[in-house]
Amino acid sequence: MPARPRLRIATWNINSLRLRAPLLRRLIDALDPDVICLQETKVPDELFPHDALAEYGYAHVAHRGMKGYNGVAVLSRLELAVADDAPDWCLKNDRRHLLVTLAAPGGPVDLHVFYVPAGGDVPDRAANPKYAHKLDFVAEAGAWFAARPGLRRTVLVGDLNIAPLEHDVWSHRQLLDVVSHTPAEVAGLNAWRDTAFVDAVRHFVPADQKLYTWWSYRNRDWRASDRGRRLDHAWVTPDLVPALAGHTILKDARDWPKGSDHVPVQIELTL
DNA sequence: ATGGTGGATGTTCCA
């Protein structure tokens, strides 16, 4: 294990790992991450594309996938161990979470990768089961971390599908009743984060500055309209805040050929 | 108010 103190962790909703595996070369060239966390891999574990990923040199891989939907994975230059006792959120067995322990400089770092349910279109728990699932998932995750006080050296990343701050969306007023920015979702996400974590990207970027990680495919000229939302997040426990050394939101990735509608987010720690 | 695009799948669901 190289004795370097730097740890770069990238997270990306890749929206089909098999389709977009070639784009990981661009991500690696741009960010040089030590660990890559992926969501919406959309590939069952028995079909995980180890061969297509081998050239990138991430020797340590963990994945939890299923056919067609969801799916999370971690590609790591550091040795890792997968926690086999992570919860089955909402008892759906739907492959939205991985917990690994990284053999990081200075000692182990726990890394959670989440893909929170998108929640459908109608922001009404009674009318829309997908929205109810999303709220329940966030509440359950918050309760799980609340039951584990004093977490240390822990990082949580992923597509959390909620933009919590006013300037995490292009129009706070117009998105208050749009799933991803409703007060109920924001309250749930904030409560979850506050059980154990600090928002590592907003640590660097003031709250009054617009910040997005996702632009809909349905905007033909996404950069001109710039109707984005910050759905992808990186959180760290407070003991790691002094180690935060930088962040990158790889906005240019939204223009990659056949790209995802999400762009990669990376944080760098000096451990 | 509506529909716009994209992936996996299979004539539709999910985002």
Side-chain angles (χ1 to χ4, degrees), chain A residues 66 88-96 117 129 133 137:
Chain A
M66 60 187 284
D88 175 20
W89 304 101
C90 301
L91 300 178
K92 285 183 173 285
N93 193 27
D94 58 1
R95 309 296 203 263
R96 296 180 179 276
H133 176 214
F137 186 106

Side-chain angles (χ1 to χ4, degrees), chain A residues 95-108:
Chain A
R95 309 296 203 263
R96 296 180 179 276
H97 176 228
L98 253 177
L99 168 57
V100 303
T101 301
L102 302 169

Side-chain angles (χ1 to χ4, degrees), chain A residues 81-130:
Chain A
V82 181
D84 55 13
D85 59 346
D88 175 20
W89 304 101
C90 301
L91 300 178
K92 285 183 173 285
N93 193 27
D94 58 1
R95 309 296 203 263
R96 296 180 179 276
H97 176 228
L98 253 177
L99 168 57
V100 303
T101 301
L102 302 169
V109 167
D110 284 340
L111 172 64
H112 293 265
V113 183
F114 275 95
Y115 173 53
V116 170
D121 289 330
V122 180
D124 180 325
R125 173 186 272 285
N128 174 9
K130 288 190 277 194

Side-chain angles (χ1 to χ4, degrees), chain A residues 34-196:
Chain A
D34 300 298
V35 181
I36 303 171
C37 306
L38 300 171
Q39 302 87 41
E40 282 207 270
T41 56
K42 296 185 176 180
V43 58
D45 288 331
E46 62 271 23
L47 297 178
F48 192 85
H50 290 282
D51 292 347
L53 302 177
E55 65 175 286
Y56 302 128
Y58 291 77
H60 308 281
V61 177
H63 50 83
R64 293 190 66 229
M66 60 187 284
K67 182 178 180 179
Y69 305 106
N70 309 324
V72 286
V74 176
L75 315 178
S76 176
R77 292 169 174 161
L78 310 171
E79 289 182 23
L80 61 78
V82 181
D84 55 13
D85 59 346
D88 175 20
W89 304 101
C90 301
L91 300 178
K92 285 183 173 285
N93 193 27
D94 58 1
R95 309 296 203 263
R96 296 180 179 276
H97 176 228
L98 253 177
L99 168 57
V100 303
T101 301
L102 302 169
V109 167
D110 284 340
L111 172 64
H112 293 265
V113 183
F114 275 95
Y115 173 53
V116 170
D121 289 330
V122 180
D124 180 325
R125 173 186 272 285
N128 174 9
K130 288 190 277 194
Y131 185 67
H133 176 214
K134 182 178 196 175
L135 294 178
D136 290 347
F137 186 106
V138 168
E140 200 172 289
W144 191 83
F145 283 96
R148 287 159 180 77
L151 279 188
R152 298 187 71 256
R153 291 178 70 86
T154 300
V155 176
L156 185 155
V157 302
D159 176 5
L160 306 185
N161 263 318
I162 297 170
L165 292 173
E166 176 176 346
H167 294 294
D168 289 338
V169 295
W170 64 275
S171 169
H172 173 63
R173 183 179 59 81
Q174 288 180 256
L175 270 73
L176 276 172
D177 61 351
V178 173
V179 175
S180 70
H181 193 59
T182 64
E185 293 169 89
V186 169
L189 190 75
N190 287 341
W192 176 8
R193 186 199 58 225
D194 289 344
T195 58

